[in-house]
Amino acid sequence: MLIRSEIGIDAASIDSLLRRSFPTSAEAELVQQLREDGLLTLGVVATDDEGQVLGYAAFSPVTLNGEDRQWVALAPLAVDESVRKQGLGKQLIYEGLDTLNEFGYAAVVVLGDPAYFEPYGFEPAAHHQLHCRWEGSEAAFQVYKLADDAFNGAEGRIEFSEPFNRF
């Protein structure tokens, strides 16, 4: 299995993975829209020996109270059913975090199961007085600090990129 940043030729295989990994096509359409709008900060893929995408993590920009603080959202994260429970999601997340850190990003937010994301270092965003627009998401809305000063003066509402409002 090869873990790397996505390249153009991966788009169709990523789309196929997302369509079979989620109950609706919303995640596939979201990634397509982020890509078309130039809002895909980073895509990390896991490919097999034939180049088929079996895992994917997308990162896109978010703002805090309308301000760009070099924060991104992790969404979606998908692993093909045939290779689940083998640590592939973990590898995708860590590769993404390492790459974002190298590029100088300050923090990553995610809306997901705390039991899954906390072992990777994500913590409740509410601990930093951070929230998002989705009602009842307090427990699932989490943040990961990349830069030491990421949370200095950081509190308020995180806004995801506009394509998230369409789905």
Side-chain angles (χ1 to χ4, degrees):
M1 196 74 55
L2 177 64
I3 310 287
R4 60 171 171 75
S5 294
E6 76 171 91
I7 55 176
I9 199 165
D10 295 324
S13 191
I14 291 167
D15 187 75
S16 176
L17 170 69
L18 294 174
R19 288 180 187 278
R20 67 181 182 269
S21 296
F22 294 98
T24 71
S25 63
E27 284 80 3
E29 292 170 19
L30 171 65
V31 169
Q32 183 177 356
Q33 194 63 55
L34 289 167
R35 193 178 288 122
E36 286 176 11
D37 292 352
L39 295 171
L40 194 59
T41 303
L42 175 66
V44 179
V45 294
T47 60
D48 64 15
D49 294 338
E50 286 79 43
Q52 185 71 26
V53 175
L54 296 177
Y56 183 66
F59 298 86
S60 58
V62 297
T63 59
L64 173 58
N65 301 322
E67 178 186 350
D68 178 3
R69 295 180 57 117
Q70 294 295 297
W71 290 26
V72 295
L74 164 55
L77 172 67
V79 174
D80 189 79
E81 194 170 356
S82 68
V83 291
R84 288 191 185 145
K85 307 283 188 214
Q86 297 178 25
L88 198 51
K90 176 182 182 177
Q91 292 176 41
L92 290 164
I93 291 168
Y94 282 145
E95 180 67 23
L97 295 175
D98 286 348
T99 301
L100 292 164
N101 190 43
E102 288 175 24
F103 289 141
Y105 286 89
V108 179
V109 298
V110 69
L111 198 59
D113 181 358
Y116 184 81
F117 288 98
E118 283 179 6
Y120 305 120
F122 284 85
E123 59 181 311
H127 289 178
H128 301 282
Q129 289 71 52
L130 296 166
H131 60 279
C132 64
R133 72 176 177 95
W134 290 285
E135 296 282 329
S137 65
E138 292 79 18
F141 190 50
Q142 299 157 83
V143 65
Y144 181 94
K145 178 174 70 168
L146 291 168
D148 290 338
D149 62 352
F151 299 141
N152 291 356
E155 60 181 55
R157 185 170 161 141
I158 299 289
E159 289 289 344
F160 287 64
S161 298
E162 198 278 327
F164 281 87
N165 298 327
R166 300 179 197 166
F167 301 100

